[in-house]
């Protein structure tokens, strides 16, 4: 809602990942968002189709940590539209 609080979903790192991929999926498994830039997060929009409906979405993040270990994090994010 552009109030400056929780408007963008993205991980917070205390280092710059060597490799990085983030995906957001809908309930059917369709990719709604993807990024290879750890500074670019999902704003809840579906490209040219407008804002995504309120609901639960799956995130999948792959990255290589500062010590070279590959990490994978998967979970859900809830989008609430005003």
């Amino acid at each position: 809602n552009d109030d400056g609080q929780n408007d963008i979903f993205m991980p917070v790192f205390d280092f710059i990942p060597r490799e990085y991929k983030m995906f957001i999926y809908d309930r059917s498994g369709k990719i709604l968002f993807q990024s290879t830039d750890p500074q670019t997060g999902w704003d809840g929009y579906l490209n040219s189709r407008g804002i995504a409906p309120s609901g639960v979405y799956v995130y999948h993040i792959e990255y290589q940590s500062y010590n070279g270990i590959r990490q994978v994090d998967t979970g859900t994010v809830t989008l609430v539209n005003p």
Side-chain angles (χ1 to χ4, degrees), residues 17-36:
R18 294 183 186 162
E19 294 179 23
Y20 174 84
K21 294 181 210 171
M22 181 171 84
F23 301 92
I24 303 290
Y25 299 91
D26 66 11
R27 297 181 113 196
S28 68
K30 181 180 177 184
I31 296 174
L32 303 178
F33 173 84
Q34 63 184 31
S35 176
T36 57

Side-chain angles (χ1 to χ4, degrees), residues 32-54:
L32 303 178
F33 173 84
Q34 63 184 31
S35 176
T36 57
D37 179 0
Q39 299 297 316
T40 302
W42 185 47
D43 61 4
Y45 280 84
L46 303 173
N47 297 326
S48 61
R49 297 184 318 226
I51 195 160
S54 293

Side-chain angles (χ1 to χ4, degrees), residues 4-80:
Q5 296 181 347
N6 299 317
D7 290 332
I8 305 288
F9 175 78
M10 60 197 231
V12 176
F13 295 105
D14 60 354
F15 60 93
I16 298 173
R18 294 183 186 162
E19 294 179 23
Y20 174 84
K21 294 181 210 171
M22 181 171 84
F23 301 92
I24 303 290
Y25 299 91
D26 66 11
R27 297 181 113 196
S28 68
K30 181 180 177 184
I31 296 174
L32 303 178
F33 173 84
Q34 63 184 31
S35 176
T36 57
D37 179 0
Q39 299 297 316
T40 302
W42 185 47
D43 61 4
Y45 280 84
L46 303 173
N47 297 326
S48 61
R49 297 184 318 226
I51 195 160
S54 293
V56 178
Y57 296 86
V58 174
Y59 67 84
H60 178 88
I61 301 169
E62 301 176 15
Y63 62 95
Q64 187 175 29
S65 65
Y66 63 91
N67 58 4
I69 297 173
R70 296 185 64 63
Q71 302 284 328
V72 176
D73 290 320
T74 302
T76 59
V77 57
T78 302
L79 180 66
V80 179

